[in-house]
């Protein structure tokens, strides 16, 4: 067996190591057109910010280590220019010498990765404007920071990498402006779940410009001037472009391999391309989403590593199917953490998939034990069988644990009712007797059984005088503010004052986070009222009303 691998990132390097473990006699050649192989791409923003101080810590392996440990022939700065499929050869060029030669293969794995999207903006090629995709890019940025000592930076794009860059440039002591074309940061999440992240950015001195688009860069003295579509202008000493990536499919296209509807290399469930002797993995391929089945591009290291193992297993006849992708991801932004798995509400609406949702605000661990912090969880699920579609979590501690549990539940085909049965590790330092994931299952299950008719933050504003909005918090709590026009009857007094509420109008209950509102809704429902509870309570609603002051007494 002669195995040729194109690309030395997460997928390519893993494929080479896996192939050697399955076949000691195979000839394995890995071509990488860049300067490094198998490095920690996800650590690059933290290397720029000085959090990771030792550059070598990012190098997971080297050509020498691959040769000594795995007997893999790694050829850096060598680009595969052409695949001659009928001859089963690749044509390569040594970038430093210009030497061109051909290499035969029995099986070929394409792991060419992706490249940063560079928007067609006038002046985008000015000195001091960077993209970040590899260690060479990071070295260039670190050198610029050390030599020029920039004091102001603009980050264009508020995805996961963009937010990490914002934090790390702030760590370097810079004033940072974040420009995002959408009305919220983290496009993979739904807008209402990102408000706490935006608030955290502002608390840390970041100038956040949403619904804005850069239309021109120009040099003004020693500074770069970014002109926005709205007419606003920002000055900076450096700019980071982080507006997404595109799959590197040029080699596949020139070889006549099939390209999918999303622009990635099309593969089957065994990760074979349209040529059965050529496999493809990582950022360059499109794969079915595990929940919706639609083809998606998800440039994440974790899936690339798993795909590499599966592709090699199939090359050696093990017939392992790739099940699809969830897109589980997490990011820390200063002192707040945001995570997502499955599909978001925007996607479900776009695809016309019926769904239910709920919000809740559990704590990371038992509140009587010091250090408990609050999370916000959004759970999306089927109204028919409770099958979990996706989740988003924002908080400080314990976010990673809960998103991983829910991602596992989705892959296992579990329902929200199944979440209530999970037996999760509990001690007061780590969780509560009813873990946050259990609680999400209880809240969702109550919606499906009809025990908790629910309304949401974006619906309550439309009520006007068509319903009674009932605040069931204490009078002391309402002194700090309540929803305009809401009637206040504390939960503990509700039964005594229930006759004061009209039965010819629906009642919408709310409290701070949803629990007392739910209890009030149960009381009212048992007494013949038409009632709904505000999911996530006033805490969820108040985040979405930045221009409307809660009525204070």
């Amino acid at each position: 067996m002669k195995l040729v691998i194109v690309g030395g990132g997460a997928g390519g390097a893993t494929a080479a190591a896996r192939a050697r473990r399955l076949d000691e006699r195979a000839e394995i050649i890995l071509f990488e057109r860049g300067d490094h192989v198998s490095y920690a791409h996800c650590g690059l923003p933290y290397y720029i910010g000085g959090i990771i101080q030792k550059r070598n810590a990012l190098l997971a392996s080297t050509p020498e280590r691959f040769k000594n440990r795995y007997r893999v022939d790694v050829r850096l700065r060598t680009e595969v220019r052409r695949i001659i499929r009928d001859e089963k050869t690749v044509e390569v060029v040594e970038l430093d010498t210009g030497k061109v030669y051909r290499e035969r293969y029995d099986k070929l794995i394409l792991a060419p990765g992706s490249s940063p999207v560079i928007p067609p903006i006038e002046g985008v090629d000015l000195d001091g404007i960077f993209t970040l995709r590899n260690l060479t890019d990071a070295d260039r940025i670190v050198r610029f920071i050390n030599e020029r000592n920039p004091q102001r930076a603009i980050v264009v794009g508020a995805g996961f990498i963009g937010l990490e860059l914002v934090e790390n440039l702030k760590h370097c002591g810079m004033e940072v402006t974040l420009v995002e074309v959408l009305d919220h940061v983290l496009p993979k999440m739904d807008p209402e779940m990102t408000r706490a992240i935006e608030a955290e950015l502002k608390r840390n001195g970041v100038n956040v410009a949403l619904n804005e688009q850069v239309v021109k860069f120009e040099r003004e003295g020693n500074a770069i001037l970014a002109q926005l579509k709205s007419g606003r202008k920002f000055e900076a000493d450096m700019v980071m472009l982080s507006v997404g990536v595109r799959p590197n499919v040029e080699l596949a296209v020139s070889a006549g391999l099939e390209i999918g509807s999303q622009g990635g290399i099309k593969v089957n469930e065994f990760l074979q391309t349209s040529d059965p002797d050529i496999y493809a993995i990582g950022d360059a391929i499109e794969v079915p989403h595990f929940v919706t089945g639609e083809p998606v591009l998800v440039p994440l290291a974790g899936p690339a590593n798993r795909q590499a193992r599966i592709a090699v297993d199939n090359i050696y006849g093990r017939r392992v199917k790739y099940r699809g992708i969830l897109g589980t991801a997490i990011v820390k932004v200063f002192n707040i953490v945001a995570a997502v798995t499955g599909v978001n509400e925007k996607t479900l609406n776009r695809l016309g998939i019926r769904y239910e949702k709920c919000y809740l605000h559990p704590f990371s661990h038992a509140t009587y034990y010091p250090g408990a912090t609050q999370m916000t969880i959004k759970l999306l699920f089927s109204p028919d069988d409770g099958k979990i579609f996706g989740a988003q979590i924002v908080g400080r501690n314990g976010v990673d644990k809960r998103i991983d549990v829910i991602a596992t539940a989705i892959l296992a085909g579990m329902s929200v009712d199944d979440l209530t049965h999970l037996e999760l590790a509990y001690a007061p330092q780590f969780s509560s007797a009813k873990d946050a994931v259990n609680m999400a299952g209880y809240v969702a299950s109550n919606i499906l059984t009809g025990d908790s008719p629910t309304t949401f933050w974006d619906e309550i504003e439309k009520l006007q005088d068509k319903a009674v909005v009932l605040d069931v918090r204490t009078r002391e709590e309402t002194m700090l503010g309540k929803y305009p026009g809401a009637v206040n009857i504390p939960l503990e007094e509700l039964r005594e004052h229930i006759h004061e509420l009209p039965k010819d109008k629906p009642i919408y209950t709310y409290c701070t986070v949803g629990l007392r509102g739910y209890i009030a809704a149960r009381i009212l429902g048992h007494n013949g009222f038409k009632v709904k509870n505000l999911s996530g309570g006033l805490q969820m609603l108040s985040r979405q009303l930045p221009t409307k002051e809660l009525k204070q007494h």
Side-chain angles (χ1 to χ4, degrees), residues 475-507:
R475 291 185 178 85
E476 290 75 17
E477 288 175 284
T478 64
M479 296 296 289
L480 300 174
K482 67 173 186 174
Y483 190 76
V487 175
N488 176 229
I489 303 177
L491 175 62
E492 286 72 16
E493 302 175 18
L494 181 58
R495 291 181 178 86
E496 288 70 34
H497 294 273
I498 200 168
H499 62 279
E500 300 173 11
L501 295 170
K503 285 196 172 181
D504 61 344
K505 285 186 177 182
I507 310 293

Side-chain angles (χ1 to χ4, degrees), residues 8 31 172 188 212 256 287 309 313 334 338 380 383 421 454 501:
F31 293 108
C172 290
K188 297 295 183 184
E212 291 282 15
V287 292
R309 181 184 177 98
D313 282 0
F334 298 106
L380 297 156
H421 294 278
T454 301
L501 295 170

Side-chain angles (χ1 to χ4, degrees), residues 326-340:
L326 282 175
T328 306
I330 190 167
V331 65
K332 184 183 80 70
V333 185
F334 298 106
N335 295 310
I336 204 165
V337 178
V340 60

Side-chain angles (χ1 to χ4, degrees), residues 112-250:
S114 56
S115 297
V117 172
I118 300 178
I121 301 172
E122 182 181 347
V124 75
D125 56 350
L126 287 174
D127 179 43
I129 299 180
F130 302 95
T131 58
L132 176 64
R133 192 57 189 163
N134 53 41
L135 187 53
T136 301
D137 291 339
D139 287 336
R140 189 179 303 117
I141 295 165
V142 169
R143 187 164 53 250
F144 180 90
I145 292 173
N146 291 337
E147 293 176 356
R148 306 283 188 91
N149 191 29
Q151 299 299 302
R152 301 165 297 175
I154 295 172
V155 176
V156 182
F160 289 97
I161 302 300
L163 293 184
E164 290 175 346
L165 285 168
V166 166
E167 179 179 357
N168 281 281
L169 293 175
K170 283 291 291 184
H171 192 264
C172 290
M174 299 185 211
E175 297 178 8
V176 181
T177 296
L178 175 63
V179 180
E180 169 56 48
V181 69
L182 299 179
D183 64 352
H184 64 100
V185 301
L186 287 181
K188 297 295 183 184
M189 300 184 77
D190 291 316
E192 76 277 13
M193 292 296 292
T194 66
R195 301 311 176 201
I197 305 163
E198 293 155 14
E200 180 73 4
L201 288 164
K202 294 173 184 177
R203 271 194 298 271
N204 284 274
V206 178
N207 180 23
V208 180
L210 302 176
N211 281 312
E212 291 282 15
Q213 182 177 0
V214 179
V215 295
K216 183 180 180 181
F217 292 112
E218 57 185 332
R219 179 68 63 185
E220 191 168 274
N222 293 324
I224 299 171
L225 183 67
Q227 183 172 319
L228 308 188
K229 192 173 183 180
S230 65
R232 298 170 70 188
K233 296 180 179 180
F234 294 113
E235 282 190 358
D237 304 306
M238 67 176 294
V239 175
M240 293 298 312
L241 299 176
S242 185
V243 297
V245 296
R246 58 171 182 79
N248 292 329
V249 299
E250 296 81 5

Side-chain angles (χ1 to χ4, degrees), residues 243-507:
V243 297
V245 296
R246 58 171 182 79
N248 292 329
V249 299
E250 296 81 5
L251 183 62
V253 170
S254 67
L257 299 178
E258 189 173 353
I259 303 300
S261 60
Q262 303 303 304
I265 302 171
K266 190 170 184 178
V267 293
N268 64 14
E269 58 190 350
F270 303 109
L271 300 177
Q272 287 173 301
T273 68
S274 51
D275 184 323
D277 291 320
I278 303 176
Y279 293 72
I281 57 177
D283 293 6
I285 69 172
E286 57 183 63
V287 292
H289 196 283
F290 184 82
V291 174
T292 67
E294 68 170 340
V296 291
L297 295 163
V298 182
L300 293 172
N305 277 290
R306 291 190 294 278
Q307 291 160 8
R309 181 184 177 98
I310 290 171
V312 173
D313 282 0
N314 284 311
I315 286 173
Y316 282 92
R318 298 197 171 192
R319 305 300 285 174
V320 180
K321 294 182 179 180
Y322 185 66
R323 301 182 184 181
I325 200 162
L326 282 175
T328 306
I330 190 167
V331 65
K332 184 183 80 70
V333 185
F334 298 106
N335 295 310
I336 204 165
V337 178
V340 60
T341 190
V343 291
N344 56 31
E345 190 172 357
K346 294 177 290 187
T347 300
L348 293 170
N349 284 325
R350 175 175 58 82
L351 297 175
I353 297 173
R354 294 174 60 246
Y355 64 93
E356 288 283 0
K357 64 181 178 180
C358 65
Y359 303 95
L360 62 155
H361 306 282
F363 281 83
S364 56
H365 61 254
T367 54
Y368 61 79
Y369 190 90
T373 57
Q374 200 170 36
M375 296 176 281
T376 296
I377 298 178
K378 178 177 184 178
L379 191 65
L380 297 156
F381 51 96
S382 167
D384 302 317
D385 56 10
K387 186 176 180 180
I388 305 165
F389 290 150
Q392 299 161 47
I393 309 178
V394 178
R396 296 183 184 274
N397 302 318
V399 171
D400 53 343
K401 170 182 175 178
R402 276 64 184 214
I403 204 71
D404 285 346
V405 171
I406 296 175
T408 303
I410 296 174
L411 189 66
M414 295 169 67
S415 70
V416 294
D417 182 62
D418 291 322
L419 296 183
T420 70
H421 294 278
L422 292 178
E423 186 175 331
L424 302 172
Y426 163 61
Q429 306 97 315
F430 305 106
S431 181
S432 300
K434 289 186 285 190
D435 186 79
V437 174
N438 297 133
M439 291 304 302
Y442 287 130
V443 173
S445 295
N446 283 340
I447 292 174
L448 292 182
T449 60
D451 289 341
S452 181
T454 301
T455 191
F456 301 97
W457 61 270
D458 56 345
E459 297 173 355
I460 202 165
E461 280 200 288
K462 304 172 186 176
L463 297 177
Q464 297 178 349
D465 59 352
K466 299 175 183 177
V468 174
V469 179
L470 178 63
D471 186 330
V472 298
R473 298 173 300 153
T474 66
R475 291 185 178 85
E476 290 75 17
E477 288 175 284
T478 64
M479 296 296 289
L480 300 174
K482 67 173 186 174
Y483 190 76
V487 175
N488 176 229
I489 303 177
L491 175 62
E492 286 72 16
E493 302 175 18
L494 181 58
R495 291 181 178 86
E496 288 70 34
H497 294 273
I498 200 168
H499 62 279
E500 300 173 11
L501 295 170
K503 285 196 172 181
D504 61 344
K505 285 186 177 182
I507 310 293

